[in-house]
Each structure stands twice: as C-alpha cells, then as structure tokens.
Amino acid sequence: QEFRKWPNSFGPLLMASVTLPSNPTTPEWMQCDVQACKVLEEASREISANCRALGDRLQGVCHDALQRLPAEESSAVTASGAGPEFISTFAHFSSALLAVAGDLEIIVSQPLQQAIATLVEESTGRAKHLQQVKKRFSELQEKYGKAQQKTMEAKSKLANGGDKRWWRKSSKTAADQHAAVCDLARCEEELLESEASLRKLEDESRERLAQLDMDKRAMLQRVLQQGRSSLRRLLRVADEV
C-alpha cells in the first residue's frame, strides 16, 4: 500500500492520502506458502510410521522363527545353516527399516515441522501487528479530520466576528483558533509518525518473510536429499542379500 507524503499545511489533502478497507485482510505477500511443507511432512511421517511398523513386525517374526527352529544337528536345514541365515537376513533388513524410520523422523519430519511452525508464527504475528498499526493509523486519520474541521470552524468564527466592540469575544475566538491549529499540528505529527511506523513494519515484514521463504526452499532441498540417501542405504542392504 502506497502512502503520500503530506505537506506542512492544513488543507483537505491529508484525509485523501490513504484509504483503509473497512474489513482489512492480510496482504497476499504475508500469506506464507507452507502447503508443500505440510504435504511432505505428512508423507514423511506416514512413511516413517509404516517403516517402523513393518520393521517391528519383521523383527518379531524373525525372533520367533529363530526360537522355533529345531536345534538338532540331524535337521538338514539347521545343520546347513540355511534356515538361520534366511531368518537373519530378514532380521537385518528389519533393522535397516527401523533405521530408515528414525532417519526420516529426525532429518525430514522434524525440520519440516519446525519450518512450518516458524513460518506460520512469523506470518500470523506480523499480520496481527500490521493490522494493529493500520487500525491506529485509521484512528489518527479520523482524529485529524475532526481537528481539521474544528480549525476551519474556529477560523470561520474569527473571520465573521462581526462587532469589534466585543473584543473579549473576538479574543476568545482567536484563542480557540490558535488552540485548534496547535491541536491540528499535533495530529499531523502523530499521523506522519504512524505512517513512518507502518512503512517500516511493512518493509521489515517483507524482508523477513522473503528470507524465511528462501530458507524454507533451501531446507526442503536439503532434507529431501538426506531422506533419499537414507532410502538408498536401505536398498544397499537389500542388494547385499
């Protein structure tokens, strides 16, 4: 939103400088995009849970099978070592699955959760603060309008003072105009300060959210690459069988 620099005068220009909506909404540039992070975080969390569940089940099956295999040397399967080796292979694979589940949780899900929380918190907090500053600016605009109207009325009364014999009344009217002009000057100063504060807040928010968006993109590339590396380690375990 653009703001006009007001002249040091008390004309009607100031009131037309900025128009705020009756129901202000969050600017589009403050609406952080976390959809991709949410989808990937949910998928990573579900993949991790499934890997852990499968790994736990495989370990249970393998442990039970090893306990039940016949120990007698007369058993052909046991004597040759083929049976225990078969079970141990899947037990090793189950351990690799559990490792992948832990990796995904630590290097993918948790960083994504943190990134989402940071973006939402920053965007929501700054949007709320911006609306508060805009509300204050709108209130000062209204206050300035009333002060401007009061100044014009006092000036009109002084110009149409009429009978100069009533000097006491004329003096009071002049004093009223002076007070109104001073009040208008204070209102203009407050309004200019509010405008500067609003500009600064918007600039800082744009810069901060833009930086967070860049950080988010870099983080996404990093954690997804690390997640793929974890899967490749699992595939190497399977290839070694």
Side-chain angles (χ1 to χ4, degrees):
Q1 187 174 11
E2 296 297 329
F3 300 93
R4 188 185 315 181
K5 193 69 175 177
W6 301 301
N8 293 323
S9 63
F10 304 124
L13 176 61
L14 181 58
M15 291 303 296
S17 60
V18 177
T19 301
L20 295 176
S22 56
N23 293 312
T25 57
T26 303
E28 184 177 352
W29 58 268
M30 293 197 77
Q31 298 174 1
C32 60
D33 182 12
V34 294
Q35 180 63 22
C37 287
K38 286 184 176 180
V39 171
L40 291 170
E41 189 278 326
E42 291 172 359
S44 175
R45 184 155 34 88
E46 189 170 346
I47 292 171
S48 176
N50 279 279
C51 286
R52 178 169 283 106
L54 179 57
D56 287 338
R57 286 197 295 271
L58 276 176
Q59 283 199 336
V61 170
C62 293
H63 177 75
D64 182 61
L66 287 174
Q67 293 294 319
R68 292 166 53 206
L69 275 176
E72 293 81 3
E73 293 183 1
S74 58
S75 172
V77 173
T78 305
S80 66
E85 184 179 353
F86 172 80
I87 299 300
S88 297
T89 299
F90 280 94
H92 182 52
F93 183 71
S94 69
S95 297
L97 272 175
L98 293 174
V100 169
D103 287 347
L104 289 178
E105 183 177 352
I106 294 173
I107 66 179
V108 180
S109 296
Q110 291 180 5
L112 286 174
Q113 290 170 3
Q114 184 177 359
I116 292 169
T118 299
L119 281 166
V120 171
E121 182 179 356
E122 285 271 0
S123 179
T124 302
R126 289 181 178 275
K128 184 177 180 180
H129 189 193
L130 181 63
Q131 293 304 331
Q132 290 173 344
V133 175
K134 283 186 175 182
K135 181 180 179 182
R136 174 59 177 164
F137 184 79
S138 181
E139 291 170 349
L140 289 173
Q141 279 190 312
E142 184 178 354
K143 181 180 178 181
Y144 179 87
K146 292 179 180 179
Q148 186 183 51
Q149 183 63 31
K150 187 175 180 180
T151 301
M152 294 174 63
E153 290 174 356
K155 182 178 180 180
S156 178
K157 288 181 180 179
L158 185 62
N160 301 320
D163 193 347
K164 298 300 181 182
R165 290 175 298 178
W166 298 97
W167 62 272
R168 291 180 181 274
K169 184 176 181 180
S170 296
S171 297
K172 184 180 183 304
T173 303
D176 289 344
Q177 187 196 25
H178 177 72
V181 170
C182 290
D183 185 50
L184 188 63
R186 284 192 296 270
C187 288
E188 183 180 33
E189 184 178 357
E190 290 179 342
L191 201 51
L192 288 170
E193 290 176 355
S194 180
E195 178 203 20
S197 177
L198 190 52
R199 282 179 180 272
K200 182 180 179 181
L201 178 60
E202 285 195 334
D203 290 343
E204 289 178 347
S205 295
R206 285 179 186 272
E207 182 178 352
R208 174 59 175 163
L209 294 177
Q211 182 61 50
L212 286 175
D213 188 66
M214 290 177 60
D215 293 345
K216 177 198 70 176
R217 294 174 186 273
M219 179 274 302
L220 270 176
Q221 292 183 353
R222 183 180 67 256
V223 301
L224 295 180
Q225 182 178 1
Q226 292 173 341
R228 289 194 298 270
S229 296
S230 180
L231 178 59
R232 282 194 289 269
R233 288 195 296 272
L234 176 63
L235 295 177
R236 281 198 296 270
V237 171
D239 289 338
E240 291 172 358
V241 176

